[in-house]
Amino acid sequence: MITLSGKSVFGGIAIGKIAFYKRNEIQIKRSRVEDTEQEVKRFEAAKEKAVSQLQELHDKALDDVGETNAMIFEIHQMMLEDLDYVESIVNIITSQEVNAEYAVATTADNFAAMFAAMDDAYMQGRAADVKDVSERLIQVLSDQNSASMEMNEPVIIAADDLVPSETVQLDKEKVLSFITMYGSANSHTAILARTMNIPAVIGIGEDLKKEYDGKEAIVDGMEGVIYIDPDKETFTRMREKQKEDQEQKTLLEQLKGKENITKSGQKVMVYANIGNLSDVGAVLKNDAGGIGLFRSEFLYLESETFPTEEEQFKVYKQVAENMAGKRVIIRTLDIGADKQVDYFGLDKEENPALGYRAIRICLTRQEIFKTQLRALYRASAYGQIAIMFPMIISVDEVKQIKKIIEEVKQELREEGIDFRENVELGVMIETPAAVMVSRDLAKEVDFFSVGTNDLTQYTLAIDRQNQKLEPFYDSHHPAVLSMIRMAAENAHAEGKWIGICGELGADLSLTETFLEMGIDELSVAPGMILPLRKRIREAD
């Protein structure tokens, strides 16, 4: 028996044969061309055909994996039309007098290397996208069809990594699991695995060898382990674990549509935390009552420059529409500390967690803040959007925010743009200062949402990014729980509701404690919705 280890991106147990993904390998040769103008035309014709193919893949993906996951093919179409990408290819053809295939391959390598060198995990993931669209172009130029893997039985798909155009063409009914040598938690393989609810392990490295093709294997997506040619004892143990997992999932599925209500009749709102549009499908699939935290800073982290009002508006609008009237709480950008964006031009700080971040940036760089607020208020006309503000420490900050909001609303009125006047406004309770003045804050806003990650680090004076301090970090510390209780009491004293959107919200060992405090809402990762509902319904 051979045991391999990687990173789990979705739990569960899969048992079956390994099938390595097979691609059409095209050898790219550099050849000189006499008529560069004609070669550019050949490239442009291939580009148009590739765009058309991507539209067909988008339409197929709509049926297979839903709108949010199909959007990647729209992004790929935009990549093919990207001016920098196209100009690079044309320039190589004309200046070096070479064939289009070579120019596309060279540009793909250059752009992929550029993305891979970036610090942001999302941008690193785009290296695979540019390779994907470029390989499609080369296939069209070489007059070859793209690979479509034949599967005669359900299998465990193995690969170095998989790109969207490959995963979307797989027969989903015959995919037991994904295992890859490379990739990240943000890769499309990982996203698809979460959407399909199948085990996936990535980052196995060179130990995942092609000689394992066709061998019997077990994927333990919970532990991130693969057993190849498992012995009898391992097989029996894993089969039992698979049975227990399936029984648990079946029981949880029965909770869809049920109320989040304790045996004693206490109701709690159970919402989901998301980072971008691609997560909305998981929110709906897991039957969340709404979105308790949309981390809008990911729009900034995923962009090379400040996202425009229109770009933000489209995202917020689509989330609101997809949630069909359910509450969508969008947190204004929380840039700074551990989330750095080069184009913000932020200075290096000795203590970034205690520095220039979140609402402090918004209030001192109001042009950025107003752009986001305009997009949010415009999108409010399309659903039940609520807005909350991070890193609040004073009532004066909230009053300043409300003044800016009134300016934005007046601008929209004068421009004749629709928006909802009564958008709910809330603040994040994630500093001890906010807790201590929470009674006064509650008079100014509609709700509180406790960010337990930051509240814990600021209460305990422990940098949560510092691994050396891990033995001292205690999210269950009595002081932290007392802070949450105090904020809850002050919110309720002013007739306002309070939720928790930090990691503690998904800690099932604290669910009854939060219910006893009177917490009105718990917002967790989509996959934790049903386990949390089960815990609530069992509570007395």
Side-chain angles (χ1 to χ4, degrees):
M1 180 176 75
I2 300 163
T3 304
L4 307 177
S5 295
K7 181 180 179 182
S8 169
V9 290
F10 197 82
I13 307 292
I15 302 174
K17 288 182 180 177
I18 291 176
F20 263 84
Y21 188 84
K22 296 173 179 63
R23 297 184 176 92
N24 290 334
E25 298 292 338
I26 302 173
Q27 295 296 321
I28 306 297
K29 292 183 179 178
R30 187 181 195 274
S31 57
R32 190 171 181 278
V33 295
E34 298 290 338
D35 190 346
T36 57
E37 189 177 331
Q38 186 58 39
E39 193 68 5
V40 169
K41 287 181 179 177
R42 189 167 80 91
F43 154 67
E44 288 173 344
K47 178 167 70 70
E48 291 306 312
K49 185 173 180 180
V51 168
S52 176
Q53 289 178 354
L54 286 166
Q55 184 58 48
E56 291 176 13
L57 285 174
H58 173 270
D59 295 342
K60 183 180 187 301
L62 272 178
D63 296 330
D64 287 353
V65 292
E67 185 174 356
T68 52
N69 286 301
M71 278 184 65
I72 185 60
F73 296 107
E74 292 181 357
I75 294 170
H76 279 197
Q77 289 177 62
M78 287 188 280
M79 277 186 166
L80 279 176
E81 302 286 3
D82 181 77
L83 201 56
D84 292 330
Y85 178 77
V86 172
E87 283 182 351
S88 173
I89 294 168
V90 172
N91 180 59
I92 291 172
I93 292 171
T94 54
S95 64
Q96 299 182 32
E97 297 181 335
V98 292
N99 55 317
E101 290 91 338
Y102 177 81
V104 172
T106 302
T107 296
D109 288 341
N110 292 341
F111 274 58
M114 176 180 69
F115 284 130
M118 293 182 180
D119 291 335
D120 180 55
Y122 178 87
M123 296 310 295
Q124 289 170 356
R126 303 294 68 78
D129 290 332
V130 76
K131 284 279 192 183
D132 190 10
V133 296
S134 300
E135 283 172 15
R136 177 169 299 281
L137 257 180
I138 291 168
Q139 284 168 349
V140 174
L141 286 163
S142 305
D143 201 25
Q144 290 195 27
N145 293 323
S146 59
S148 184
M149 187 170 173
E150 292 287 330
M151 292 183 285
N152 299 318
E153 61 180 331
V155 291
I156 296 165
I157 298 291
D160 51 358
D161 198 6
L162 290 165
V163 293
S165 61
E166 293 170 340
T167 55
V168 79
Q169 293 181 77
L170 294 169
D171 183 349
K172 306 297 182 298
E173 299 297 318
K174 293 178 180 173
V175 179
L176 298 172
S177 170
F178 290 120
I179 56 175
T180 63
M181 297 166 71
Y182 313 113
S184 70
N186 294 313
S187 69
H188 300 293
T189 308
I191 292 168
L192 184 64
R194 289 192 285 264
T195 304
M196 293 171 64
N197 283 328
I198 60 172
V201 179
I202 62 171
I204 301 163
E206 303 294 329
D207 291 339
L208 182 59
K209 300 172 183 175
K210 290 194 175 179
E211 64 196 58
Y212 299 146
D213 188 53
K215 288 188 177 291
E216 289 288 335
I218 298 173
V219 178
D220 184 345
M222 301 167 192
E223 303 296 330
V225 177
I226 296 98
Y227 302 97
I228 298 169
D229 287 335
D231 56 37
K232 189 173 181 180
E233 181 188 343
T234 302
F235 186 90
T236 302
R237 180 166 54 87
M238 287 294 113
R239 177 65 83 182
E240 186 61 32
K241 192 173 182 179
Q242 182 186 47
K243 182 183 175 185
E244 290 172 3
D245 181 52
Q246 287 172 342
E247 287 174 353
Q248 182 68 15
K249 285 177 179 174
T250 301
L251 287 171
L252 289 175
E253 286 290 318
Q254 294 172 9
L255 291 174
K256 286 186 176 179
K258 299 284 179 70
E259 284 191 297
N260 307 301
I261 187 168
T262 66
K263 289 179 179 178
S264 56
Q266 183 178 350
K267 290 186 179 180
V268 187
M269 298 178 283
V270 177
Y271 288 0
N273 297 336
I274 67 170
N276 50 45
L277 268 176
S278 63
D279 297 331
V280 176
V283 173
L284 297 173
K285 189 178 182 67
N286 287 282
D287 196 33
I291 292 172
L293 170 63
F294 183 118
R295 301 179 180 93
S296 70
E297 59 269 15
F298 281 90
L299 295 175
Y300 296 79
L301 291 166
E302 294 165 5
S303 178
E304 293 181 11
T305 186
F306 293 101
T308 65
E309 178 186 325
E310 198 62 31
E311 287 168 343
Q312 293 188 63
F313 163 67
K314 286 179 181 176
V315 173
Y316 304 146
K317 173 177 177 283
Q318 188 169 344
V319 173
E321 288 177 333
N322 287 352
M323 291 305 293
K326 293 178 179 177
R327 186 188 276 128
V328 177
I329 302 174
I330 300 175
R331 178 176 71 189
T332 56
L333 68 98
D334 189 4
I335 294 297
D338 58 328
K339 287 173 272 201
Q340 294 291 328
V341 181
D342 288 343
Y343 59 82
F344 269 71
L346 302 179
D347 295 330
K348 183 174 174 58
E349 295 180 296
E350 289 297 321
N351 296 299
L354 299 176
Y356 188 53
R357 60 173 290 200
I359 202 65
R360 298 165 184 178
I361 293 175
C362 291
L363 292 178
T364 53
R365 298 177 68 174
Q366 292 187 17
E367 71 285 356
I368 299 172
F369 195 30
K370 278 191 170 183
T371 297
Q372 181 170 34
L373 288 172
R374 281 179 60 92
L376 286 166
Y377 269 90
R378 285 174 60 194
S380 72
Y382 299 88
Q384 196 185 346
I385 282 179
I387 307 171
M388 68 179 176
F389 307 97
M391 279 296 290
I392 295 297
I393 63 169
S394 72
V395 173
D396 285 343
E397 287 174 335
V398 177
K399 288 181 176 178
Q400 195 176 347
I401 289 165
K402 290 166 81 172
K403 182 181 176 186
I404 295 168
I405 286 173
E406 283 307 313
E407 292 172 6
V408 166
K409 289 164 74 171
Q410 187 56 33
E411 287 175 8
L412 295 175
R413 288 188 199 103
E414 290 171 359
E415 294 168 30
I417 296 173
D418 287 340
F419 66 92
R420 208 154 42 85
E421 289 279 358
N422 59 339
V423 170
E424 281 186 294
L425 301 178
V427 294
M428 296 280 290
I429 300 294
E430 48 192 345
T431 65
V435 175
M436 300 309 292
V437 298
S438 53
R439 183 73 185 260
D440 292 327
L441 286 172
K443 292 181 171 79
E444 298 290 332
V445 296
D446 300 299
F447 66 93
F448 289 163
S449 188
V450 183
T452 55
N453 305 0
D454 272 329
L455 183 61
T456 302
Q457 86 165 338
Y458 293 134
T459 301
L460 303 183
I462 288 177
D463 180 358
R464 59 191 172 101
Q465 303 293 325
N466 190 333
Q467 291 183 345
K468 290 179 182 177
L469 299 177
E470 203 167 302
F472 302 96
Y473 188 90
D474 179 12
S475 58
H476 290 214
H477 194 289
V480 175
L481 299 180
S482 294
M483 289 275 184
I484 298 171
R485 183 184 297 277
M486 182 177 177
E489 288 172 353
N490 285 334
H492 293 149
E494 295 298 328
K496 308 300 168 63
W497 65 268
I498 181 171
I500 294 176
C501 64
E503 292 299 314
L504 280 191
D507 188 334
L508 301 184
S509 69
L510 285 175
T511 303
E512 285 201 18
T513 301
F514 293 145
L515 291 170
E516 185 267 326
M517 288 180 187
I519 297 296
D520 303 291
E521 175 246 18
L522 293 166
S523 191
V524 297
M528 282 300 298
I529 296 290
L530 295 178
L532 178 57
R533 179 172 296 164
K534 179 174 183 289
R535 186 75 188 87
I536 290 167
R537 291 175 65 85
E538 289 172 348
D540 189 355

